[in-house]
Each structure stands twice: as structure tokens, then as C-alpha cells.
Amino acid sequence: MEFNDHAGVMEDKDVAIGLEWLGQMQGDKNKFQTRLQNAQYNYTRVTNDAEFFGKDFDINLYGKDIVASFFAQAKSLLDNRRAYDISIASHIIPWVKQLGRNCHLINDIPGARERAKRMLDEEKVHPDTALFELVIAGNYADKGYHVEFIPEQKGIAKTPDLKYFDNKGQAFYIECKRLQKGKYETDERKFHNKLINLTGALNILGAFNIWMDVTYKSELKDIPDNYIYEHLKKFNNHCYTWDDSHGRGIVKPIRLYKLHEDILKNGSVMFSTKFARLMKGAALRDEYYNIYAHAKPDNRDPRFIEFVEQASLVTWRCINPTSFESRSKHVTSLLKTIDDQLLTYGPGIAHIAIDVDIQGDVADKRRQKNDEAISRFAPRSNLCRTMVHYMVPRIDEDYVWMVDETFDERLSYRPELNLTPRIAVFTDSQILDNDLPGWRQ
């Protein structure tokens, strides 16, 4: 494997154009470039520290400028593989690419330049929602529609994001919302990490080459602190299984020869889904994972490992009904907010982007609940079309970055206004015509 801090991962014309346009929107391209370079430097400095070795990605590794941290990932694709992080790339780069595809159109949309500059000037605000609005605006313009951003009015919070005019001159109003991962899911992962990082459990995970697979039946907040440790203690170099009121699982010894073969072939391997797959011996699908290893970092890039002495893998999921219900957060509250924002305007369209849960059954339940919620929703406004974009960012060994988009739509609460366009987020995507959502591909 070749390492070069001054080389990117790949060239992509649209990503480069998108970043160039953003620099123009800030008003000082050199200042924008400097912000991104500082973020790249911060990331490289922090990940060179031995304390970082094996830890999960955090956007704050790039520094306190969240906007620069976000877009630095796209810049790193083009010019700095050392600051490129595979675990977050698919959440960011497809959006910048889509922006780049249509920024020549976005540039002429009234209000777009101001919206982009406001996004870039906010160092502490995550830019994904504003980027969603800009991308959707560009996609409507790409269909030939006249699009405008609706200026924010002082003292009036409830306004749509955009409006466009159809070929008959009818104005339609657009509201874009992103449904982020909820507090319950974030807390659940913290509870699991607390269980798995108990001192006794860590000692065992750091002493054997094992794969532990856990399916929690209880909510993780209700599981005793020593639950994982008590089961790991019973492992004696033979396969151990259990099934109790809190969960079920298996602990089994593994061999690391596939890891060693891959390192011998490629020079080193990164802590990533590939590392976990080589340990497990099969692809990871509906499961979270943790890796524990005694290993030697590659001095060319300490995020990579050039020798593994010992390693353990923990995979897990939760099938508790309350967990399912809490993680499969649906769109009812968002629809009410959108309805309020459209209330005093003409016919409206809702675009809702949702990050999909890694557990396919949770994603299925969320989709079902969303469909039910949208079907029974009775708007007070002239909402005539709702489009839900399910996003499945991929971490893949064969692709630098990619995201699957599953597109659901509800036509409409007002049948006479059904002639609104069907607009996806990623308009140049390959369509898989098999009726399966992205998380089931």
C-alpha cells in the first residue's frame, strides 16, 4: 500500500467543482482553503497520537470549526489521503458531489448564494441541513424549474425553504428536513460500550483471539454492568453460548490467518469493517462492532496496522421491542412542523432525509411506521406531496465511497396538485429495480 500525504484518494471533477463553488460563496477562496487545510492538519496531528490508536471517528478530530471539518473530508478525497477517513466519507462526499453537479444552476437561484454563505459562516453549526436545501434546489433547477430560496423574515420563524414554479406559473413551496439519529440510539451505544469496557471484560478481550456475538433482549440501560464480563469469564478456549433474560450470545476462538494474509499482501490494514470481516470470516450486516487488538501501527500512517499479535471482535445488536420502537423514530412530529411552515403559503412539498439504522429490522420498522404516519396525517396546509429519502452510507472495500438512496413518496393530500415532480437527492444514481430498500441490497 502506497502512502503519500500530498496525494488524494481519487480525482472527482464534481467534488472539486463543489468545493470551488463553496470557496467562492464564502467570499474569500483562500480563507476557505485555509480553514479546510487547518482541519486536515488537526486530524493528522490527533490521529498520529498513540492515544487515538483504535478509537472511533469523531468529527471533532478536525478541530472546533465544524463546517471546515465537514468539507475537509471532501478536500481530502482529492488531495490528502492521510486526512481522509473511510468511516465518514460516505456521509459527506456524495452530497458535495451532487452540489458540484448542479452548482452552475444553483449559482443563479435567487437566495442560494446567501444561503450558502450563511452556512459557511457558521463554524459551530453542522452544515448538512443547509447542504440538503442547496442540493434539492439544484435538483429542481436541473429539471428546468425556476427555483427561489425564500428569505428569512425577521421575527417570523415559520417559512418554507424554497419555492418553484411549474410550466403553468403555479408556485409550489418546498420544505426540507433531515431526521438525525436520535438520543436513544446514541445512548444505547454508550451503554454497550460501558458493558464491554468494564475492566474485567477488557482484560479477557485483550488476552485471547475471540469473536463474541451478543443479541440483547433487554434495553441496554437495564442490563447489569458486569453482564458481558460474567459471560466472558466462562470462555475456556472452546465455544461458549448462553441464552438468558437479558440476551443471548456466543464466544468462540478465532484464527487471525486471514488478517495476516491480507497484511502480507497489502502491507497493512485499517481498523474498519474490513478488519472486522477478516476476523469474523464473513461480511458484517445488521450488527455493530468493536475491535480490540494488540498490534503494531504502520509508521507511515498509524491508523493502519502492519502486524497483529492478538485481536478480539465483538458484534452486537438489540432486539428489545422498546429499543425497536425508540430507534425507529418516525416522521409525525416533522410533518407537523412542516405543515406549520407551509400553513400560510400555497401548495407545498416536503423532502425528508433519514439516516438508516444499521439493523435492517429496525430500518424496516421505521419505514413501515413512516408510511403509516404519512398516510394518516391530515395537514392543515396545502401539503400535496411528501418525499422521504432513506440514506444508507456504505463503507465498502471495493468503492472509495458511496451511498444508497431509497425513495418513498406520498401523492398527495390534494389530488388536483399531483403533477409535482419526483425529485431524488442523488439524481445520477444507478436504479436497482428489485423493490428492495437500500439496506436490503
Side-chain angles (χ1 to χ4, degrees):
M1 181 173 293
E2 188 176 321
F3 292 84
N4 184 341
D5 287 1
H6 303 292
V9 178
M10 65 175 288
E11 294 182 8
D12 189 285
K13 181 181 70 173
D14 293 329
V15 173
I17 291 171
L19 288 174
E20 173 74 14
W21 185 79
L22 289 168
Q24 293 173 6
M25 293 307 100
Q26 181 164 340
D28 185 338
K29 289 195 291 183
N30 290 333
K31 180 180 178 182
F32 183 63
Q33 286 293 316
T34 299
R35 288 174 69 186
L36 303 193
Q37 288 167 359
N38 288 339
Q40 290 174 318
Y41 170 78
N42 289 333
Y43 176 87
T44 301
R45 178 181 55 80
V46 172
T47 55
N48 272 332
D49 193 323
E51 287 293 317
F52 174 80
F53 186 62
K55 290 186 178 178
D56 292 337
F57 174 83
D58 185 334
I59 193 70
N60 293 310
L61 295 171
Y62 287 93
K64 295 181 180 179
D65 185 344
I66 298 299
V67 171
S69 301
F70 185 93
F71 291 112
Q73 186 61 217
K75 184 175 185 295
S76 299
L77 175 81
L78 304 176
D79 67 12
N80 191 334
R81 67 172 60 240
R82 178 60 185 85
Y84 176 83
D85 196 301
I86 188 175
S87 66
I88 196 65
S90 296
H91 293 265
I92 295 172
I93 294 171
W95 294 88
V96 179
K97 179 177 176 67
Q98 187 67 24
L99 180 77
R101 288 187 73 251
N102 289 329
C103 64
H104 63 291
L105 299 170
I106 298 171
N107 200 54
D108 294 330
I109 294 174
R113 297 170 67 91
E114 293 79 6
R115 184 67 186 97
K117 188 175 189 316
R118 192 165 77 247
M119 170 186 72
L120 295 168
D121 287 345
E122 291 279 359
E123 293 186 357
K124 305 299 183 187
V125 178
H126 207 285
D128 55 356
T129 297
L131 189 58
F132 183 28
E133 295 168 13
L134 289 163
V135 164
I136 289 295
N139 292 354
Y140 275 87
D142 188 44
K143 293 282 189 181
Y145 296 103
H146 175 79
V147 188
E148 298 177 6
F149 275 82
I150 299 174
E152 292 184 351
Q153 301 178 47
K154 196 171 183 178
I156 302 177
K158 295 177 180 179
T159 57
D161 298 314
L162 304 160
K163 68 177 176 180
Y164 83 94
F165 296 90
D166 67 12
N167 54 15
K168 296 180 180 178
Q170 169 70 57
F172 290 82
Y173 295 84
I174 303 169
E175 180 62 27
C176 302
K177 296 290 186 187
R178 291 209 63 171
L179 189 60
Q180 307 287 4
K181 290 185 177 180
K183 185 176 184 298
Y184 187 94
E185 182 178 353
T186 302
D187 287 346
E188 189 170 74
R189 296 190 70 172
K190 290 178 180 177
F191 287 128
H192 165 77
N193 287 336
K194 182 180 179 182
L195 296 172
I196 211 74
N197 290 327
L198 193 72
T199 299
L202 282 179
N203 289 340
I204 296 172
L205 291 169
F208 299 94
N209 297 327
I210 57 176
W211 169 36
M212 181 182 202
D213 185 65
V214 186
T215 299
Y216 295 109
K217 299 178 186 177
S218 299
E219 285 189 86
L220 273 85
K221 68 181 180 63
D222 296 330
I223 294 177
D225 289 349
N226 64 347
Y227 180 74
I228 294 295
Y229 172 56
E230 289 299 321
H231 287 296
L232 281 172
K233 279 199 310 184
K234 298 173 183 176
F235 170 71
N236 60 356
N237 280 320
H238 299 287
C239 186
Y240 162 71
T241 62
W242 80 91
D243 192 339
D244 57 35
S245 60
H246 289 302
R248 62 177 183 266
I250 183 171
V251 186
K252 59 190 295 187
I254 58 173
R255 297 175 64 191
L256 304 181
Y257 70 91
K258 289 186 178 180
L259 263 176
H260 294 150
E261 284 180 352
D262 191 85
I263 292 172
L264 187 64
K265 176 183 176 182
N266 296 306
S268 58
V269 64
M270 194 178 196
F271 268 134
S272 67
T273 52
K274 180 180 182 179
F275 196 106
R277 176 184 63 79
L278 292 169
M279 293 180 66
K280 179 183 173 182
L284 275 70
R285 296 194 63 83
D286 296 355
E287 54 205 335
Y288 298 98
Y289 71 92
N290 307 79
I291 298 170
Y292 299 87
H294 294 295
K296 180 184 177 184
D298 190 320
N299 58 18
R300 298 167 296 177
D301 185 339
R303 299 174 303 168
F304 287 76
I305 291 163
E306 66 177 17
F307 178 75
V308 181
E309 178 183 348
Q310 174 274 330
S312 291
L313 171 68
V314 179
T315 52
W316 66 279
R317 68 208 56 76
C318 183
I319 60 171
N320 178 268
T322 302
S323 172
F324 267 36
E325 191 72 19
S326 299
R327 279 186 286 154
S328 60
K329 184 170 62 174
H330 54 97
V331 300
T332 300
S333 60
L334 272 188
L335 284 173
K336 290 177 180 176
T337 301
I338 292 168
D339 194 42
D340 286 344
Q341 290 178 274
L342 295 171
L343 193 57
T344 58
Y345 294 84
I349 300 168
H351 285 274
I352 302 171
I354 299 177
D355 291 330
V356 173
D357 193 286
I358 196 169
Q359 273 187 244
D361 42 11
V362 175
D364 289 339
K365 186 174 183 65
R366 170 180 281 183
R367 189 185 191 193
Q368 176 190 346
K369 289 175 65 175
N370 286 344
D371 184 62
E372 292 169 354
I374 292 169
S375 295
R376 66 172 176 262
F377 185 69
R380 296 182 299 152
S381 70
N382 289 322
L383 179 64
C384 62
R385 190 180 193 121
T386 299
M387 286 174 271
V388 183
H389 311 267
Y390 295 96
M391 302 300 174
V392 187
R394 299 291 189 188
I395 301 175
D396 195 285
E397 297 163 34
D398 299 319
Y399 297 89
V400 178
W401 45 266
M402 61 182 292
V403 61
D404 289 337
E405 176 185 3
T406 296
F407 187 97
D408 284 348
E409 58 185 333
R410 161 75 185 202
L411 287 174
S412 102
Y413 307 98
R414 293 188 57 191
E416 71 274 16
L417 295 172
N418 274 352
L419 297 177
T420 54
R422 189 176 191 271
I423 302 290
V425 172
F426 303 112
T427 55
D428 200 26
S429 301
Q430 177 187 358
I431 305 299
L432 300 179
D433 191 20
N434 57 14
D435 292 329
L436 294 176
W439 55 94
R440 294 296 184 190
Q441 298 295 339

PDB file of all heavy atoms in Angstrom, residues 163-179:
ATOM      1  N   LYS A 163     -39.242  27.856  -3.095  1.00  0.00           N
ATOM      2  CA  LYS A 163     -40.428  27.744  -3.927  1.00  0.00           C
ATOM      3  C   LYS A 163     -39.975  27.559  -5.371  1.00  0.00           C
ATOM      4  O   LYS A 163     -38.872  27.959  -5.760  1.00  0.00           O
ATOM      5  CB  LYS A 163     -41.341  28.958  -3.798  1.00  0.00           C
ATOM      6  CG  LYS A 163     -40.809  30.252  -4.347  1.00  0.00           C
ATOM      7  CD  LYS A 163     -41.876  31.348  -4.215  1.00  0.00           C
ATOM      8  CE  LYS A 163     -41.342  32.702  -4.672  1.00  0.00           C
ATOM      9  NZ  LYS A 163     -42.365  33.776  -4.557  1.00  0.00           N
ATOM     10  N   TYR A 164     -40.816  26.896  -6.144  1.00  0.00           N
ATOM     11  CA  TYR A 164     -40.546  26.766  -7.571  1.00  0.00           C
ATOM     12  C   TYR A 164     -41.849  26.971  -8.327  1.00  0.00           C
ATOM     13  O   TYR A 164     -42.944  26.866  -7.763  1.00  0.00           O
ATOM     14  CB  TYR A 164     -39.917  25.398  -7.898  1.00  0.00           C
ATOM     15  CG  TYR A 164     -40.904  24.262  -8.051  1.00  0.00           C
ATOM     16  CD1 TYR A 164     -41.411  23.911  -9.307  1.00  0.00           C
ATOM     17  CD2 TYR A 164     -41.345  23.539  -6.950  1.00  0.00           C
ATOM     18  CE1 TYR A 164     -42.323  22.880  -9.447  1.00  0.00           C
ATOM     19  CE2 TYR A 164     -42.254  22.514  -7.076  1.00  0.00           C
ATOM     20  CZ  TYR A 164     -42.739  22.184  -8.330  1.00  0.00           C
ATOM     21  OH  TYR A 164     -43.657  21.168  -8.467  1.00  0.00           O
ATOM     22  N   PHE A 165     -41.718  27.254  -9.620  1.00  0.00           N
ATOM     23  CA  PHE A 165     -42.886  27.499 -10.463  1.00  0.00           C
ATOM     24  C   PHE A 165     -42.950  26.419 -11.537  1.00  0.00           C
ATOM     25  O   PHE A 165     -41.937  26.122 -12.197  1.00  0.00           O
ATOM     26  CB  PHE A 165     -42.790  28.883 -11.116  1.00  0.00           C
ATOM     27  CG  PHE A 165     -42.809  30.011 -10.139  1.00  0.00           C
ATOM     28  CD1 PHE A 165     -41.623  30.501  -9.601  1.00  0.00           C
ATOM     29  CD2 PHE A 165     -44.003  30.587  -9.729  1.00  0.00           C
ATOM     30  CE1 PHE A 165     -41.624  31.555  -8.694  1.00  0.00           C
ATOM     31  CE2 PHE A 165     -44.019  31.632  -8.818  1.00  0.00           C
ATOM     32  CZ  PHE A 165     -42.824  32.112  -8.296  1.00  0.00           C
ATOM     33  N   ASP A 166     -44.135  25.830 -11.721  1.00  0.00           N
ATOM     34  CA  ASP A 166     -44.284  24.849 -12.787  1.00  0.00           C
ATOM     35  C   ASP A 166     -44.482  25.571 -14.127  1.00  0.00           C
ATOM     36  O   ASP A 166     -44.464  26.807 -14.204  1.00  0.00           O
ATOM     37  CB  ASP A 166     -45.425  23.869 -12.486  1.00  0.00           C
ATOM     38  CG  ASP A 166     -46.812  24.522 -12.492  1.00  0.00           C
ATOM     39  OD1 ASP A 166     -46.937  25.682 -12.939  1.00  0.00           O
ATOM     40  OD2 ASP A 166     -47.769  23.861 -12.062  1.00  0.00           O
ATOM     41  N   ASN A 167     -44.687  24.789 -15.188  1.00  0.00           N
ATOM     42  CA  ASN A 167     -44.756  25.404 -16.521  1.00  0.00           C
ATOM     43  C   ASN A 167     -46.042  26.192 -16.758  1.00  0.00           C
ATOM     44  O   ASN A 167     -46.202  26.834 -17.792  1.00  0.00           O
ATOM     45  CB  ASN A 167     -44.569  24.334 -17.606  1.00  0.00           C
ATOM     46  CG  ASN A 167     -45.554  23.183 -17.459  1.00  0.00           C
ATOM     47  OD1 ASN A 167     -46.551  23.295 -16.738  1.00  0.00           O
ATOM     48  ND2 ASN A 167     -45.269  22.071 -18.127  1.00  0.00           N
ATOM     49  N   LYS A 168     -46.964  26.155 -15.795  1.00  0.00           N
ATOM     50  CA  LYS A 168     -48.180  26.971 -15.888  1.00  0.00           C
ATOM     51  C   LYS A 168     -48.105  28.211 -15.009  1.00  0.00           C
ATOM     52  O   LYS A 168     -49.066  28.961 -14.894  1.00  0.00           O
ATOM     53  CB  LYS A 168     -49.395  26.134 -15.493  1.00  0.00           C
ATOM     54  CG  LYS A 168     -49.669  24.965 -16.430  1.00  0.00           C
ATOM     55  CD  LYS A 168     -50.895  24.181 -15.974  1.00  0.00           C
ATOM     56  CE  LYS A 168     -51.160  23.002 -16.911  1.00  0.00           C
ATOM     57  NZ  LYS A 168     -52.332  22.206 -16.447  1.00  0.00           N
ATOM     58  N   GLY A 169     -46.938  28.385 -14.340  1.00  0.00           N
ATOM     59  CA  GLY A 169     -46.768  29.545 -13.471  1.00  0.00           C
ATOM     60  C   GLY A 169     -47.265  29.338 -12.056  1.00  0.00           C
ATOM     61  O   GLY A 169     -47.238  30.266 -11.238  1.00  0.00           O
ATOM     62  N   GLN A 170     -47.707  28.104 -11.721  1.00  0.00           N
ATOM     63  CA  GLN A 170     -48.179  27.808 -10.369  1.00  0.00           C
ATOM     64  C   GLN A 170     -46.977  27.689  -9.434  1.00  0.00           C
ATOM     65  O   GLN A 170     -46.019  26.973  -9.714  1.00  0.00           O
ATOM     66  CB  GLN A 170     -48.960  26.493 -10.359  1.00  0.00           C
ATOM     67  CG  GLN A 170     -49.285  25.936  -8.980  1.00  0.00           C
ATOM     68  CD  GLN A 170     -50.314  26.763  -8.242  1.00  0.00           C
ATOM     69  OE1 GLN A 170     -51.415  26.976  -8.736  1.00  0.00           O
ATOM     70  NE2 GLN A 170     -49.955  27.239  -7.049  1.00  0.00           N
ATOM     71  N   ALA A 171     -47.021  28.402  -8.311  1.00  0.00           N
ATOM     72  CA  ALA A 171     -45.938  28.347  -7.323  1.00  0.00           C
ATOM     73  C   ALA A 171     -46.168  27.186  -6.349  1.00  0.00           C
ATOM     74  O   ALA A 171     -47.289  26.977  -5.867  1.00  0.00           O
ATOM     75  CB  ALA A 171     -45.843  29.657  -6.563  1.00  0.00           C
ATOM     76  N   PHE A 172     -45.119  26.440  -6.079  1.00  0.00           N
ATOM     77  CA  PHE A 172     -45.133  25.385  -5.073  1.00  0.00           C
ATOM     78  C   PHE A 172     -44.038  25.687  -4.046  1.00  0.00           C
ATOM     79  O   PHE A 172     -42.947  26.158  -4.407  1.00  0.00           O
ATOM     80  CB  PHE A 172     -44.871  24.012  -5.707  1.00  0.00           C
ATOM     81  CG  PHE A 172     -45.992  23.506  -6.564  1.00  0.00           C
ATOM     82  CD1 PHE A 172     -46.133  23.939  -7.874  1.00  0.00           C
ATOM     83  CD2 PHE A 172     -46.909  22.598  -6.059  1.00  0.00           C
ATOM     84  CE1 PHE A 172     -47.159  23.480  -8.674  1.00  0.00           C
ATOM     85  CE2 PHE A 172     -47.950  22.131  -6.848  1.00  0.00           C
ATOM     86  CZ  PHE A 172     -48.080  22.578  -8.162  1.00  0.00           C
ATOM     87  N   TYR A 173     -44.320  25.374  -2.789  1.00  0.00           N
ATOM     88  CA  TYR A 173     -43.392  25.707  -1.698  1.00  0.00           C
ATOM     89  C   TYR A 173     -42.791  24.424  -1.141  1.00  0.00           C
ATOM     90  O   TYR A 173     -43.496  23.424  -0.951  1.00  0.00           O
ATOM     91  CB  TYR A 173     -44.126  26.508  -0.621  1.00  0.00           C
ATOM     92  CG  TYR A 173     -44.576  27.853  -1.136  1.00  0.00           C
ATOM     93  CD1 TYR A 173     -45.773  27.982  -1.846  1.00  0.00           C
ATOM     94  CD2 TYR A 173     -43.782  28.977  -0.977  1.00  0.00           C
ATOM     95  CE1 TYR A 173     -46.174  29.202  -2.363  1.00  0.00           C
ATOM     96  CE2 TYR A 173     -44.182  30.214  -1.488  1.00  0.00           C
ATOM     97  CZ  TYR A 173     -45.368  30.318  -2.176  1.00  0.00           C
ATOM     98  OH  TYR A 173     -45.753  31.530  -2.701  1.00  0.00           O
ATOM     99  N   ILE A 174     -41.492  24.465  -0.881  1.00  0.00           N
ATOM    100  CA  ILE A 174     -40.729  23.265  -0.510  1.00  0.00           C
ATOM    101  C   ILE A 174     -40.117  23.450   0.865  1.00  0.00           C
ATOM    102  O   ILE A 174     -39.497  24.484   1.150  1.00  0.00           O
ATOM    103  CB  ILE A 174     -39.601  23.002  -1.537  1.00  0.00           C
ATOM    104  CG1 ILE A 174     -40.177  22.858  -2.948  1.00  0.00           C
ATOM    105  CG2 ILE A 174     -38.801  21.767  -1.142  1.00  0.00           C
ATOM    106  CD1 ILE A 174     -39.103  22.874  -4.036  1.00  0.00           C
ATOM    107  N   GLU A 175     -40.277  22.432   1.694  1.00  0.00           N
ATOM    108  CA  GLU A 175     -39.620  22.407   2.999  1.00  0.00           C
ATOM    109  C   GLU A 175     -38.742  21.149   3.079  1.00  0.00           C
ATOM    110  O   GLU A 175     -39.208  20.048   2.777  1.00  0.00           O
ATOM    111  CB  GLU A 175     -40.654  22.404   4.126  1.00  0.00           C
ATOM    112  CG  GLU A 175     -40.069  22.379   5.526  1.00  0.00           C
ATOM    113  CD  GLU A 175     -39.214  23.613   5.855  1.00  0.00           C
ATOM    114  OE1 GLU A 175     -39.456  24.685   5.257  1.00  0.00           O
ATOM    115  OE2 GLU A 175     -38.310  23.490   6.691  1.00  0.00           O
ATOM    116  N   CYS A 176     -37.478  21.346   3.460  1.00  0.00           N
ATOM    117  CA  CYS A 176     -36.513  20.243   3.559  1.00  0.00           C
ATOM    118  C   CYS A 176     -36.162  20.009   5.029  1.00  0.00           C
ATOM    119  O   CYS A 176     -35.806  20.954   5.741  1.00  0.00           O
ATOM    120  CB  CYS A 176     -35.236  20.572   2.795  1.00  0.00           C
ATOM    121  SG  CYS A 176     -35.482  20.919   1.037  1.00  0.00           S
ATOM    122  N   LYS A 177     -36.234  18.762   5.461  1.00  0.00           N
ATOM    123  CA  LYS A 177     -35.887  18.413   6.841  1.00  0.00           C
ATOM    124  C   LYS A 177     -34.998  17.175   6.844  1.00  0.00           C
ATOM    125  O   LYS A 177     -35.210  16.239   6.073  1.00  0.00           O
ATOM    126  CB  LYS A 177     -37.140  18.112   7.671  1.00  0.00           C
ATOM    127  CG  LYS A 177     -38.084  19.285   7.871  1.00  0.00           C
ATOM    128  CD  LYS A 177     -37.482  20.335   8.782  1.00  0.00           C
ATOM    129  CE  LYS A 177     -38.490  21.441   9.090  1.00  0.00           C
ATOM    130  NZ  LYS A 177     -37.858  22.545   9.848  1.00  0.00           N
ATOM    131  N   ARG A 178     -34.023  17.163   7.764  1.00  0.00           N
ATOM    132  CA  ARG A 178     -33.196  15.978   7.975  1.00  0.00           C
ATOM    133  C   ARG A 178     -33.522  15.397   9.337  1.00  0.00           C
ATOM    134  O   ARG A 178     -33.525  16.117  10.346  1.00  0.00           O
ATOM    135  CB  ARG A 178     -31.713  16.324   7.897  1.00  0.00           C
ATOM    136  CG  ARG A 178     -31.268  16.705   6.497  1.00  0.00           C
ATOM    137  CD  ARG A 178     -29.822  16.375   6.242  1.00  0.00           C
ATOM    138  NE  ARG A 178     -29.574  14.946   6.329  1.00  0.00           N
ATOM    139  CZ  ARG A 178     -28.432  14.373   5.973  1.00  0.00           C
ATOM    140  NH1 ARG A 178     -27.433  15.109   5.518  1.00  0.00           N
ATOM    141  NH2 ARG A 178     -28.260  13.073   6.067  1.00  0.00           N
ATOM    142  N   LEU A 179     -33.824  14.105   9.366  1.00  0.00           N
ATOM    143  CA  LEU A 179     -34.138  13.412  10.611  1.00  0.00           C
ATOM    144  C   LEU A 179     -32.867  12.697  11.060  1.00  0.00           C
ATOM    145  O   LEU A 179     -32.465  11.685  10.468  1.00  0.00           O
ATOM    146  CB  LEU A 179     -35.284  12.423  10.400  1.00  0.00           C
ATOM    147  CG  LEU A 179     -35.883  11.780  11.647  1.00  0.00           C
ATOM    148  CD1 LEU A 179     -36.443  12.842  12.582  1.00  0.00           C
ATOM    149  CD2 LEU A 179     -36.968  10.787  11.277  1.00  0.00           C
TER     150      LEU A 179
END
